[in-house]
């Protein structure tokens, strides 16, 4: 019989493979461990490439957290549990909007939408837009506060 799988009954063929398969397996597993931030970032980058055709770079910080560089000015941070980034759009008062997502699928979908917004802009507008730049973030992460 084809019964609906119970939590913890994820087929072994789902454990590994694509990021989508790992997300499904983790949702069904009661003992799912939180992935490392780098692994979580790599899964997001793979999902962006596989589903949305977006090439993204993953960088690990000395703190253990990771960042996914999706587009010039579009950087998604992760602690292995969730993702957050600055939206390329501003709120009604003209201030940056901090966006976040708890799942890989949600993060990839929102980041793909933000990638499309940035791709439609002139490069000089993106540079002047005040969005975080990868070199600034990596530099700040590696600065010795002493």
């Amino acid at each position: 019989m084809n019964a609906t799988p119970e939590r913890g009954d994820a087929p072994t063929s789902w454990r590994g493979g694509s990021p989508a398969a790992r997300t499904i397996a983790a949702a069904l597993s009661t003992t799912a461990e939180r992935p490392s931030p780098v692994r979580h970032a790599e899964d997001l980058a793979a999902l962006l490439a596989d589903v949305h055709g977006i090439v993204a770079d993953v960088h690990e910080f000395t703190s253990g957290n990771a960042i996914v560089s999706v587009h010039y000015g579009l950087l998604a941070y992760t602690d292995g549990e969730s993702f957050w980034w600055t939206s390329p759009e501003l709120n009604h008062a003209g201030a940056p909007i901090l966006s976040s997502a708890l799942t890989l699928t949600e993060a990839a979908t929102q980041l793909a939408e933000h990638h499309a917004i940035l791709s439609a802009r002139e490069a000089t507008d993106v540079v002047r837009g005040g969005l975080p730049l990868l070199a600034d973030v990596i530099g700040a992460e590696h600065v010795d506060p002493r």
Side-chain angles (χ1 to χ4, degrees):
M1 299 258 161
N2 286 339
T4 304
E6 297 295 323
R7 290 188 68 80
D9 289 344
T12 55
S13 61
W14 286 7
R15 302 202 190 280
S18 73
R22 284 195 297 273
T23 300
I24 292 168
L28 292 174
S29 174
T30 55
T31 60
E33 292 183 27
R34 181 174 121 179
S36 74
V38 171
R39 177 64 183 257
H40 207 46
E42 289 170 344
D43 287 348
L44 176 60
L47 195 58
L48 284 166
D50 294 346
V51 176
H52 302 283
I54 297 171
V55 176
D57 297 326
V58 173
H59 304 274
E60 181 177 11
F61 292 133
T62 55
S63 65
N65 291 337
I67 192 167
V68 181
S69 177
V70 180
H71 189 282
Y72 191 84
L74 183 56
L75 308 171
Y77 303 83
T78 184
D79 57 1
E81 194 168 320
S82 61
F83 293 95
W84 62 97
W85 62 93
T86 303
S87 169
E89 297 181 311
L90 303 176
N91 67 14
H92 63 281
I97 300 170
L98 185 63
S99 298
S100 65
L102 294 175
T103 67
L104 286 170
T105 305
E106 182 182 12
T109 300
Q110 289 182 36
L111 286 165
E113 291 171 6
H114 291 163
H115 182 275
I117 291 167
L118 290 172
S119 294
R121 292 184 184 167
E122 292 291 328
T124 54
D125 292 339
V126 174
V127 171
R128 290 186 211 138
L131 293 170
L133 303 179
L134 184 58
D136 295 337
V137 173
I138 291 176
E141 178 73 20
H142 294 288
V143 170
D144 187 353
R146 289 181 269 159

